[in-house]
Amino acid sequence: DEKERFDPTQFQDCIIQGLTETGTDLEAVAKFLDASGAKLDYRRYAETLFDILVAGGMLAPGGTLADDMTRTDVCVFAAQEDLETMQAFAQVFNKLIRRYKYLEKGFEDEVKKLLLFLKGFSESERNKLAMLTGILLANGTLNASILNSLYNENLVKEGVSAAFAVKLFKSWINEKDINAVAVSLRKVNMDNRLMELFPANKQSVEHFSKYFTEAGLKELSEYVRNQQTIGARKELQKELQEQMSRGDPFKDIILYVKEEMKKNNISEQTVIAIIWSSVMSTVEWNKKEELVAEQAIKHLKQYSPLLAAFTTQGQSELTLLLKIQEYCYDNIHFMKAFQKIVVLFYKAEVLSEEPILKWYKDAHLAKGKSVFLEQMKKFVEWLKNAEE
């Protein structure tokens, strides 16, 4: 009843012999692997099986093939370096893992290990592995968390990670599109970590963007740029709310916001929307419609110098108008306060005549428009007819 000794050599010989007999017809390879699972212990020797299919034989630590081992040429590393061949190999892995579900975890561990061994492989082998990994990520055989292995310090330092990522993302985006890639990355909290493919002194949007755009991955560069902007916006909103709740002077807040706009390339339209929602979230609003308008006017009058500092363009004023409309529509007890807020901002020189008329004519949202247009009718007529 002694426990069977772990000896993968016999297992390896069986697989290599079978692959040599099937030759390079990958359909036949898939059938052979399917049938062998009934006779051979895939569960125990999963790592050996995947080593053979990728590299042609068992891998020693570091990624070299053990010298005394027989190897097969029916493997990823010995195949042609093109997308079509790698798609065919991806099918072999897909079928195998669909048939023997328990291999899923073993395969994921294998890929993580292979990524750590990248320096032990030739450039061509790395390219093939990158293409294959991209395809398997696209069809869901692999989870994006395997990319963690690419953040290994040695691989990053020597530029191996970034070069590998280029090939990987190319084949991934080729199979799907950048949106599908973004969803997968977000699921495993990898969406904000792509810059870590470079050493610390090169972790800038500019460097990332240049590197991947030159490699023909403009959509990935833009995606990372957007992620950075979204991050910067969230940070700005959080800091703004803290400054407001502390009661910091407006001149300090304005200075801080302008610096952030410059540093992160954030437009005035984006900023005015952030300021509006920050201003509205610092208050506990009254639930009674007749009291909330009065409370809003008092609160917004106080903050109008801050808002006025970021409505220097007509487009920003229009953005603010649309945000006010949206807010009053979404918060039902504000429905009747819309016109009062606009008039207050007109008097406080946050909003000017032209954007208000444009909003009234054709730039308003559909949300509650009949109610709001009716409220604004008299004021708009007055604007049109009033003397300077």
Side-chain angles (χ1 to χ4, degrees), residues 143-308:
N143 182 297
S145 60
I146 56 124
L147 298 174
N148 269 313
S149 295
L150 289 178
Y151 298 134
N152 172 283
E153 202 181 331
N154 289 324
L155 296 175
V156 169
K157 203 165 70 186
E158 298 196 20
V160 175
S161 294
F164 186 85
V166 166
K167 292 279 182 193
L168 180 146
F169 278 109
K170 269 191 180 166
S171 75
W172 191 355
I173 292 168
N174 179 60
E175 295 288 311
K176 289 277 192 184
D177 60 28
I178 189 67
N179 298 330
V181 171
V183 170
S184 299
L185 292 172
R186 206 163 35 245
K187 273 185 191 159
V188 293
N189 296 321
M190 205 74 84
D191 47 336
N192 289 317
R193 291 194 60 197
L194 292 178
M195 290 224 262
E196 292 171 40
L197 291 164
F198 296 103
N201 61 343
K202 290 181 178 171
Q203 282 177 23
S204 70
V205 178
E206 275 54 51
H207 181 77
F208 186 97
S209 201
K210 187 173 185 292
Y211 185 91
F212 280 93
T213 303
E214 282 172 5
L217 279 165
K218 194 165 188 286
E219 55 265 76
L220 190 69
S221 306
E222 282 168 3
Y223 166 71
V224 166
R225 204 176 271 282
N226 285 341
Q227 286 302 105
Q228 283 296 106
T229 313
I230 291 165
R233 280 186 224 155
K234 282 181 183 162
E235 205 49 49
L236 174 61
Q237 181 141 17
K238 198 172 133 214
E239 181 58 31
L240 250 179
Q241 284 167 346
E242 281 174 18
Q243 289 176 347
M244 286 177 189
S245 58
R246 285 199 304 264
D248 289 7
F250 287 159
K251 67 174 196 322
D252 295 352
I253 298 179
I254 291 166
L255 196 66
Y256 163 74
V257 174
K258 286 191 168 164
E259 276 171 8
E260 287 299 301
M261 280 170 76
K262 200 172 168 186
K263 191 168 87 185
N264 295 300
N265 199 14
I266 305 174
S267 70
E268 192 180 77
Q269 286 88 300
T270 305
V271 164
I272 196 67
I274 292 173
I275 294 175
W276 166 258
S277 66
S278 301
V279 166
M280 295 310 272
S281 66
T282 54
V283 182
E284 194 65 55
W285 294 108
N286 201 305
K287 293 282 177 276
K288 291 195 172 120
E289 202 175 68
E290 60 277 11
L291 296 175
V292 84
E294 202 178 311
Q295 187 191 4
I297 295 304
K298 203 171 162 189
H299 178 67
L300 291 169
K301 195 172 192 171
Q302 185 193 334
Y303 278 98
S304 52
L306 178 61
L307 287 150

Side-chain angles (χ1 to χ4, degrees), residues 8-46:
T9 42
Q10 205 180 347
F11 175 87
Q12 169 170 281
D13 293 342
C14 291
I15 293 287
I16 286 184
Q17 190 189 340
L19 289 175
T20 309
E21 284 166 16
T22 56
T24 51
D25 174 10
L26 293 183
E27 285 282 329
V29 169
K31 280 181 185 148
F32 158 71
L33 292 170
D34 192 329
S36 300
K39 304 192 284 282
L40 299 172
D41 194 349
Y42 280 179
R43 200 183 287 272
R44 177 189 283 251
Y45 298 119

Side-chain angles (χ1 to χ4, degrees), residues 90-128:
Q91 278 308 310
V92 172
F93 287 106
N94 271 341
K95 285 175 185 166
L96 180 62
I97 288 159
R98 270 211 303 269
R99 176 81 169 82
Y100 300 102
K101 201 84 175 115
Y102 59 79
L103 285 174
E104 218 166 55
K105 175 81 178 76
F107 185 53
E108 209 152 282
D109 292 343
E110 172 75 11
V111 175
K112 285 178 189 169
K113 177 191 83 175
L114 290 169
L115 297 188
L116 291 173
F117 286 174
L118 285 178
K119 278 164 65 182
F121 306 143
S122 72
E123 192 185 338
S124 174
E125 288 169 347
R126 288 202 287 257
N127 290 345
K128 290 172 209 172

